[in-house]
Amino acid sequence: MRCAKCGSENSSGQKICGECGFALEQPAVRVVIISDYASGLEAGWDDLRTTLKALAQQDFEEPADFMLVESTELAPQIPSDFAAILPALRVITAPQRTAYELKNTAVQAASTELVAMLDGDCAPSADWLRRLVDAMRAHPDAAAISGKTVHAGNGLVNRAMGAANRSYVEVGHAGPTGSLSSNNALFRRSAYLAHPLPFGPFGSHLQSEAILRSGGRLLFEPRALVVHAYEGWATEWDFRRGCGYAVIRTCRVDPRLQYAWLTRLGYFSIPLFVARRILTGWWYCLSRGRGHGLVWYELPAAFALVAVASCMEAPGMLSALRNQPGAGTLFR
């Protein structure tokens, strides 16, 4: 049996790790790490190093299974130093290549009822896993619990876009929410398997809607914090193009979604969707910006940045309306 703390192998039936003395028990939770951006590139591997270092510092005292899931194509390129950063890390390969397919495969293979999802460019706080597991145990009726995500960096663009892009799950306190953060969440395996992630990237809204329609509860735990890597407008362009593509495609996949009827307007729907995205981003900055470091006198500049960023979604929307296969981003 492999030790969940130090990664050393122990003989079958052994209850205590011979190397570090940790109890060899069934893991309480599986942590699935997926690289969904710049995968196979040095920037992506560097982000993963930061994430693994943060996972190695978790204060979670129970056994946990840390699993990096990668495609068969990219697995041979995984840097050898990952094992030294997080000795308990296991690398699992799968023929699938997209991040959502890899996440679905990982959950199907899990032996634990609790499965945490963490994207490879998200560095969690030391109490991240403990906060999520404690919250799930305190709410046995919850299907999934999302943590809070903020952008790395202190610049205005980082903070404004953090509020606009990452606060959609936030409700101001711990409690019920209407969305899931697929980059930072803890699932009940049974709920996930009943409603796996659909197409990707940026299609997780369909999973949230499916869970809610089935009667499942989604919660938000603000203390389960992760810092998302962010490189400014270069990242924003990729992110927004993919989001724009998903806005149209999700509405076509599920016509019951709010504002899905707009897609019947064809190309005329694009300015309407962009306007809605601008207004939503402004609201997030106004109502939730403080939690992302925005102060009141920065709001006019933040509003301008959100407007520019939202317009970047138009090419992705156009691609989706033309039934083109993807948005052409570094997200997979």
Side-chain angles (χ1 to χ4, degrees):
M1 181 180 295
R2 190 171 187 174
C3 177
K5 183 175 182 180
C6 71
S8 62
E9 293 291 341
N10 293 266
S11 60
S12 178
Q14 192 171 339
K15 294 184 178 181
I16 301 295
C17 175
E19 291 293 326
C20 68
F22 194 71
L24 300 175
E25 304 171 7
Q26 173 70 17
V29 58
R30 165 172 287 184
V31 180
V32 175
I33 307 112
I34 303 286
S35 171
D36 73 329
Y37 180 75
S39 305
L41 302 178
E42 191 57 38
W45 299 132
D46 284 342
D47 287 340
L48 261 171
R49 287 186 179 92
T50 301
T51 297
L52 296 179
K53 289 175 183 177
L55 287 173
Q57 297 172 2
Q58 293 296 297
D59 64 8
F60 190 67
E61 294 295 333
E62 301 175 57
D65 182 20
F66 296 95
M67 176 181 292
L68 173 63
V69 184
E70 189 49 89
S71 68
T72 306
E73 174 188 354
L74 294 180
Q77 303 176 29
I78 295 176
S80 58
D81 63 328
F82 281 10
I85 296 172
L86 182 62
L89 182 70
R90 293 195 297 143
V91 177
I92 303 297
T93 62
Q96 294 83 2
R97 192 180 189 285
T98 70
Y100 282 13
E101 289 175 324
L102 292 173
K103 288 180 179 181
N104 291 342
T105 298
V107 176
Q108 290 172 355
S111 60
T112 59
E113 176 59 8
L114 300 184
V115 181
M117 287 289 178
L118 185 67
D119 281 354
D121 51 4
C122 294
S125 59
D127 59 350
W128 170 76
L129 187 57
R130 174 170 57 85
R131 295 293 188 185
L132 286 177
V133 172
D134 287 350
M136 186 69 85
R137 288 171 175 167
H139 300 278
D141 58 338
I145 299 177
S146 295
K148 179 173 180 175
T149 302
V150 299
H151 278 171
N154 295 319
L156 176 59
V157 172
N158 304 57
R159 292 179 285 114
M161 293 300 102
N165 298 344
R166 303 297 172 183
S167 68
Y168 60 92
V169 300
E170 297 178 20
V171 291
H173 52 79
T177 182
S179 300
L180 272 170
S181 176
S182 61
N183 67 288
N184 171 17
L186 179 67
F187 290 86
R188 293 197 188 279
R189 180 174 180 269
S190 53
Y192 188 107
L193 291 178
H195 308 287
L197 281 166
F199 73 89
F202 305 108
S204 63
H205 182 52
L206 293 175
Q207 184 185 48
S208 303
E209 288 292 316
I211 292 175
L212 290 171
R213 286 172 186 157
S214 69
R217 292 187 74 209
L218 304 179
L219 300 181
F220 171 63
E221 174 48 70
R223 295 175 296 179
L225 178 69
V226 305
V227 178
H228 199 298
Y230 186 75
E231 300 299 331
W233 286 116
T235 303
E236 196 67 29
W237 167 249
D238 256 0
F239 177 81
R240 290 290 180 162
R241 186 176 175 88
C243 281
Y245 186 88
V247 164
I248 300 297
R249 189 173 177 191
T250 53
C251 287
R252 285 182 162 179
V253 170
D254 189 350
R256 295 171 294 177
L257 294 177
Q258 191 179 29
Y259 303 112
W261 61 271
L262 286 175
T263 58
R264 296 198 295 268
L265 300 177
Y267 296 147
F268 293 106
S269 68
I270 292 179
L272 298 177
F273 275 120
V274 169
R276 176 175 174 265
R277 296 285 289 172
I278 291 173
L279 293 174
T280 300
W282 286 354
W283 171 246
Y284 288 160
C285 287
L286 185 63
S287 62
R288 305 167 187 177
R290 180 178 295 181
H292 291 261
L294 282 177
V295 292
W296 66 268
Y297 57 81
E298 294 177 318
L299 286 175
F303 289 168
L305 293 171
V306 168
V308 172
S310 298
C311 290
M312 293 177 179
E313 298 187 17
M317 295 178 185
L318 185 62
S319 296
L321 286 171
R322 291 175 173 173
N323 295 314
Q324 294 173 342
T329 78
L330 288 179
F331 290 93
R332 58 166 172 164

